[in-house]
Amino acid sequence: MNVSRSSSSRLSAATRVALAGGSALSSVVLLSGTAFAHVSVQPQGEAAKGGYATVNIKVPNERDNASTVKLEVNFPLDHPLASVMPQPVPGWKAEVTKSKLSKPLELHGKKINEAVSKVTWTADGSKIGPGQFQQFPLSLGQLPEDADQLVLKAIQTYDNKEVVRWIEEAKEGADEPQNPAPVLKLSAASDDHHGAATSPSASASASTDAKGGHDDKAGAHEEKTAAASSSSDTTARILGVIGILVGIAGVAFGVLAGRRRSA
């Protein structure tokens, strides 16, 4: 009886621990899903100040009983972008909205009076179902030189008419908001990422230098090839001579051995 009660008690305790562990694990999974399942912007490569970049707007579906059918991404007009071009996504229709600027933007010597303020994707034969996500590629430029990041506020619409606004800006030292706005971090400016046009003379000079450098490399390559070929020929001759000498020695040894046997 004591053994039975002890075993039953141990089994009961083990069951309680397993249930508690399972409950804790489910909570962790649910919480982590909630924390990470939000609209975000991810650069493909580097997004340098003053340059151009390709980014993906990543849109996960957070609902188990509805699908995402529309997404709006808003661009800040205090740091306007003259060029925002969406890449076609099968099953989705993209619409670019521009707004007038209070202060004209100068780009490549031209004044631009309007900039893209919003891009809207609407489902056209497709949708983002439960447990799925979709990426919407964009080409952006010229990125501002006087900002460290761009906040791209987004609005996600489901087919059950529910609307989720990803517009809350994170504050330094505070926890992440419930519906954070996508943020594009900008890296330090570099000469390779600026969108400045190159003058014809500079292009010609660069082309000449590149060609000269190519010719120098080609000449060096030919010299190395010739040296390697000469070395290979010399090695082959030496090996050939050694082979002949070894053959002669073998013949002489055979003749001497035959004479010894005859004697």
Side-chain angles (χ1 to χ4, degrees):
M1 289 294 292
N2 292 336
V3 173
S4 177
R5 288 180 180 175
S6 177
S7 299
S8 177
S9 176
R10 290 177 182 175
L11 180 60
S12 178
T15 303
R16 287 195 299 270
V17 171
L19 289 173
S23 176
L25 179 59
S26 330
S27 300
V28 170
V29 171
L30 289 173
L31 287 173
S32 55
T34 303
F36 293 103
H38 53 70
V39 176
S40 60
V41 56
Q42 302 170 339
Q44 302 304 297
E46 189 176 31
K49 297 178 181 179
Y52 292 80
T54 299
V55 303
N56 279 333
I57 306 296
K58 185 177 180 181
V59 185
N61 192 89
E62 291 190 311
R63 302 296 179 260
D64 296 329
N65 57 353
S67 298
T68 298
V69 293
K70 185 178 179 181
L71 176 72
E72 300 175 27
V73 175
N74 295 275
F75 296 85
L77 291 180
D78 56 342
H79 292 100
L81 300 177
S83 174
V84 177
M85 295 187 294
Q87 180 177 319
V89 177
W92 293 83
K93 180 182 178 181
E95 180 182 357
V96 178
T97 303
K98 293 185 177 182
S99 298
K100 291 286 184 180
L101 296 176
S102 57
K103 182 180 179 181
L105 181 67
E106 189 169 339
L107 184 64
H108 302 316
K110 295 182 180 180
K111 287 187 177 181
I112 300 174
N113 296 315
E114 60 180 13
V116 173
S117 57
K118 181 173 66 175
V119 176
T120 304
W121 288 270
T122 305
D124 185 21
S126 183
K127 58 179 64 178
I128 309 173
Q132 299 177 343
F133 76 93
Q134 177 66 54
Q135 295 191 106
F136 298 94
L138 286 172
S139 174
L140 307 179
Q142 186 174 356
L143 298 174
E145 297 182 353
D146 57 348
D148 295 324
Q149 64 181 30
L150 291 177
V151 179
L152 311 180
K153 297 182 178 182
I155 300 176
Q156 182 178 11
T157 304
Y158 290 87
D159 57 8
N160 62 356
K161 308 302 181 183
E162 180 185 2
V163 176
V164 180
R165 301 179 183 277
W166 303 97
I167 62 174
E168 299 177 30
E169 298 187 37
K171 296 181 179 179
E172 188 176 354
D175 294 335
E176 183 182 59
Q178 184 176 358
N179 294 320
V183 176
L184 176 62
K185 300 289 186 179
L186 303 182
S187 58
S190 62
D191 294 336
D192 295 337
H193 294 86
H194 275 72
T198 304
S199 64
S201 58
S203 298
S205 176
S207 176
T208 302
D209 293 343
K211 184 176 180 181
H214 176 73
D215 291 342
D216 292 342
K217 290 180 180 178
H221 178 69
E222 290 176 359
E223 290 179 1
K224 289 182 180 179
T225 303
S229 177
S230 176
S231 177
S232 299
D233 291 342
T234 302
T235 302
R237 292 193 186 100
I238 293 174
L239 292 175
V241 172
I242 292 175
I244 293 172
L245 293 176
V246 171
I248 294 173
V251 172
F253 179 78
V255 171
L256 291 175
R259 287 179 179 178
R260 288 178 181 176
R261 290 194 188 95
S262 299

